[in-house]
């Protein structure tokens, strides 16, 4: 059913009110094709979980929410499985299903808001794992031709919070299903400091994938606001990758500044650390602000506009530029 003048508040995790001229959900390729054919002239926006989006204005076109479901083991041997999931599956529920079946690989990505279909878009990552580490392939609907095209890992051109679907192919494809290569004989990744300390705190010395998942959930819940309670889209900014000379200059004044080398001459700075040092952490302006426990996350306490949050992000970018000579980039899609 097509709805007109639809308030998108319930379908974006920031909880921002903005109107869509037309709104519909689809749960099959046929439904998607029919909807696109019915409104050929309208601008389109495809939503997954709406968890990486800031709406700054009404959308004068057709918003389609992907609800294609499915969980299927398409290959299996002693050591590995290929699991295909519908793009409209809720990411965390999909991860929990994998853990229930003892398929390892995605447990560090527990509790990330959003949908399976959105996960390759920005190569979601947390606690030492990115989806590219377990990604096998995806099926996507090519809007121009109506064909389904398959993409392997190389074709997706994954980078840090990046893929071909955010760049060269932006707006051209709708992801329908994603296949992951997972391990049957659990190998856990507890390299991220916070995970090992959480496991230690829980007295777990030989962790199962469920232990790791539960540790990740506890860490996330202790730092990140639950979008069902406080509107947010996770990290609002990317961690900037800078030349080591930039880090060296910061380190002179802040010997403990976090820095994670990415190659010989470059590394990632922690944007949350920079924002906190600049005094923004926990700053609140009536209905919105910077989260008090994680400075990378901007929050809507209820009733703020996308523009207020966007303007706040611009002020933060300008201030970090001024104080540290580092340019922060937004991670969230602005519309
Ligand atoms: N830090 C601060 N102050 C803060 C936040 C962080 O000083 O307010 C410092 C921490 O103490 C630590 C460093 O910054 O030394 C890194 O912090 P953390 O481990 O919390 O991770 P992050 O870099 O802030 C990234 C991802 C998160 C992901 C975590 C865990 C990005 C943009 N964000 O955050 O992803 O959950 O690592 O792996 O890469 C998301 O993308 O929405 C997201 C939440």
């Amino acid at each position: 059913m097509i709805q007109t003048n639809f308030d998108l508040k319930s379908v974006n995790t920031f909880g921002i009110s903005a109107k869509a001229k037309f709104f519909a959900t689809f749960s099959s390729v046929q439904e998607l094709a029919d909807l696109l054919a019915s409104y050929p002239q309208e601008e389109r926006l495809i939503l997954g979980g709406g968890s990486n989006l800031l709406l700054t204005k009404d959308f004068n076109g057709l918003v389609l929410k992907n609800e294609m479901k499915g969980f299927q083991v398409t290959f299996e041997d002693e050591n590995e499985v290929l699991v295909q999931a519908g793009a409209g599956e809720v990411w965390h529920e999909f991860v929990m299903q994998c853990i229930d079946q003892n398929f390892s690989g995605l447990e560090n990505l527990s509790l990330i808001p959003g949908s399976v279909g959105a996960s390759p878009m920005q190569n979601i990552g947390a606690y030492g794992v990115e989806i590219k580490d377990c990604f096998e392939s995806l099926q996507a609907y090519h809007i121009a031709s109506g064909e389904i095209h398959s993409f392997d890992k190389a074709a997706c051109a994954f980078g840090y919070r990046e893929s071909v679907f955010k760049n060269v192919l932006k707006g051209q494809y709708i992801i329908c299903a994603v296949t992951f290569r997972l391990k049957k004989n659990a190998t856990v990744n507890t390299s991220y400091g916070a995970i090992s300390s959480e496991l230690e705190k829980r007295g777990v010395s030989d962790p199962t994938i469920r232990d790791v998942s539960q540790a990740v959930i506890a860490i996330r819940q202790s730092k990140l606001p639950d979008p069902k309670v406080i509107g947010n889209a996770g990290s609002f900014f990317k961690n900037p990758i800078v030349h080591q000379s930039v880090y060296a200059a910061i380190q002179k004044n802040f010997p403990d500044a976090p820095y994670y080398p990415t190659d010989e001459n470059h590394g990632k700075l922690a944007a949350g650390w920079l924002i906190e040092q600049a005094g923004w952490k926990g700053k609140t302006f009536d209905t919105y602000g910077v989260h008090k426990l994680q400075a990378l996350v901007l929050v809507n306490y209820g009733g703020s506009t996308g523009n207020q949050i966007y303007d706040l992000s611009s002020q933060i970018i300008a201030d970090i530029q001024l104080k540290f000579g580092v340019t922060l980039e937004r991670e969230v899609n602005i519309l």
Side-chain angles (χ1 to χ4, degrees), residues 51-52 108-109 112-113 122 124-130 160-161 192 194 216 219-220 223-224 232-240 256-260 268-277 281 290-297 329 331-332:
S51 60
N52 202 36
N108 294 40
L109 305 178
I112 294 187
Q122 49 153 350
I124 58 171
Y127 308 105
V129 174
E130 292 181 333
Y160 168 55
R161 296 295 193 275
Y192 205 87
V216 166
I219 300 165
R220 290 189 76 95
K223 279 197 193 165
L224 296 166
N232 76 90
S235 299
F236 197 91
F237 305 98
K238 288 190 196 181
N239 284 331
D256 297 332
Y259 179 74
Y260 316 97
K268 252 187 224 172
L269 293 171
W273 182 88
L274 294 168
I275 298 168
E276 178 171 351
Q277 293 304 316
K281 191 169 182 172
V290 180
H291 189 52
K292 60 180 190 304
L293 301 175
Q294 166 48 295
L296 255 190
V297 179
E329 234 182 273
E331 200 226 280
V332 168

Side-chain angles (χ1 to χ4, degrees), residues 207-268:
T208 62
I209 56 172
R210 194 174 296 280
D211 291 329
V212 172
S213 168
Q214 283 169 352
V216 166
I217 290 172
I219 300 165
R220 290 189 76 95
Q221 285 176 335
S222 73
K223 279 197 193 165
L224 296 166
D226 177 353
K228 291 197 190 90
V229 183
I230 300 175
N232 76 90
S235 299
F236 197 91
F237 305 98
K238 288 190 196 181
N239 284 331
I241 295 174
V242 298
H243 192 268
Q244 62 180 14
S245 58
V246 175
Y247 165 61
I250 294 174
Q251 205 191 15
K252 269 193 199 145
N253 297 324
F254 303 94
D256 297 332
Y259 179 74
Y260 316 97
T262 51
D263 66 33
E264 271 166 46
N265 300 315
H266 299 86
K268 252 187 224 172

Side-chain angles (χ1 to χ4, degrees), residues 70-110:
F71 181 100
Q72 207 188 346
V73 173
T74 57
F75 167 84
E76 181 160 21
D77 68 14
E78 270 163 59
N79 303 313
E80 289 188 326
V81 282
L82 293 181
V83 180
Q84 186 180 64
E89 292 286 347
V90 173
W91 174 261
H92 179 65
E93 290 173 10
F94 167 63
V95 173
M96 290 299 111
Q97 261 182 290
C98 294
I99 291 171
D100 287 344
Q101 308 222 21
N102 211 15
F103 300 156
S104 71
L106 299 173
E107 53 283 355
N108 294 40
L109 305 178
S110 297

